[in-house]
Amino acid sequence: MGASRRWRPGLVALGVAGAIACAGGVAWTVGNAGERQPVLSMVRPVVAGEVIEARDVGVVRLGVDDATQVVRAGQPDAVIGRRAVVPLVPGQLLAPGQLGDAAGFPPDGQALVVVGVEPGMLPAGLAQGQRIAVVPGAPPGGRGTADADAEAKVPDPVLGVVNAVGRRESASGKGAVTVLVDAGAVRRVAQMSDPRVAVLSTSVKAVS
């Protein structure tokens, strides 16, 4: 049996997470800077391309340095009924550039892929924005006498960032996880038999 392939979860996951973070708009630093004023923030996750509803949005009072980069609480019409250009997560302040008529997502070089996961294999608490590894399950027929050949055909794990989670609707159904991955990894995900999802810790280190 040849040497198993090495993959670098730290480096790849950070790259993918960075892509979704950059697509999500500015990173906010708030506190005592600037005058405290009511602004709109997300209270529910909304995937790119979805229309934002009133129940998705809340009001918080924050001190911001540049009020032109946020949506004030008195401007709900600028948000409600508009489409999210990028994925939006709870607690995120809304900025004008995150709203539009069509999604500007996924970023160049990235792709969204839907992974069907068997009942009981979807991690509890899985949510948008988490870094995960899509791991191949046992190959068709299990590990038989041709163990080495089976291993050679099993795709490597694929790292990505959760964009949306759909729980199964029945005991016999599958859960659906929409994942942002490198565009070149889409075929590997499609080739996986009985895929599993593993949530990655922020302390994952690269394998040397």
Side-chain angles (χ1 to χ4, degrees):
M1 183 185 304
S4 60
R5 299 179 185 176
R6 293 184 180 272
W7 56 293
R8 300 176 178 271
L11 297 179
V12 180
L14 286 174
V16 177
I20 197 170
C22 290
V26 295
W28 298 99
T29 301
V30 295
N32 295 323
E35 180 183 354
R36 296 180 69 84
Q37 56 186 293
V39 297
L40 296 180
S41 70
M42 299 301 298
V43 296
R44 292 163 50 91
V46 173
V47 301
E50 280 191 342
V51 174
I52 301 174
E53 301 178 2
R55 62 177 182 168
D56 301 324
V57 180
V59 177
V60 295
R61 295 189 66 89
L62 295 173
V64 295
D65 287 323
D66 188 354
T68 65
Q69 297 302 309
V70 295
V71 180
R72 297 173 185 251
Q75 301 173 311
D77 291 343
V79 175
I80 310 259
R82 302 289 303 280
R83 293 188 183 275
V85 176
V86 295
L88 301 173
V89 298
Q92 180 176 358
L93 298 185
L94 283 166
Q98 298 164 343
L99 313 167
D101 298 321
F105 190 83
D108 290 341
Q110 305 291 317
L112 289 173
V113 59
V114 178
V115 180
V117 183
E118 291 291 346
M121 295 299 174
L122 202 60
L126 188 66
Q128 185 184 56
Q130 287 183 313
R131 297 188 303 136
I132 64 170
V134 181
V135 183
R143 297 187 180 277
T145 54
D147 198 25
D149 291 338
E151 278 196 3
K153 297 178 181 178
V154 175
D156 287 338
V158 173
L159 303 191
V161 176
V162 176
N163 184 61
V165 180
R167 301 286 170 174
R168 66 180 186 275
E169 298 181 357
S170 66
S172 60
K174 288 186 176 182
V177 183
T178 305
V179 188
L180 179 70
V181 300
D182 185 90
V186 172
R187 181 183 295 272
R188 285 162 50 201
V189 175
Q191 292 174 339
M192 289 185 183
S193 175
D194 188 26
R196 315 294 174 87
V197 171
V199 178
L200 298 178
S201 167
T202 56
S203 61
V204 170
K205 302 296 183 182
V207 178
S208 58

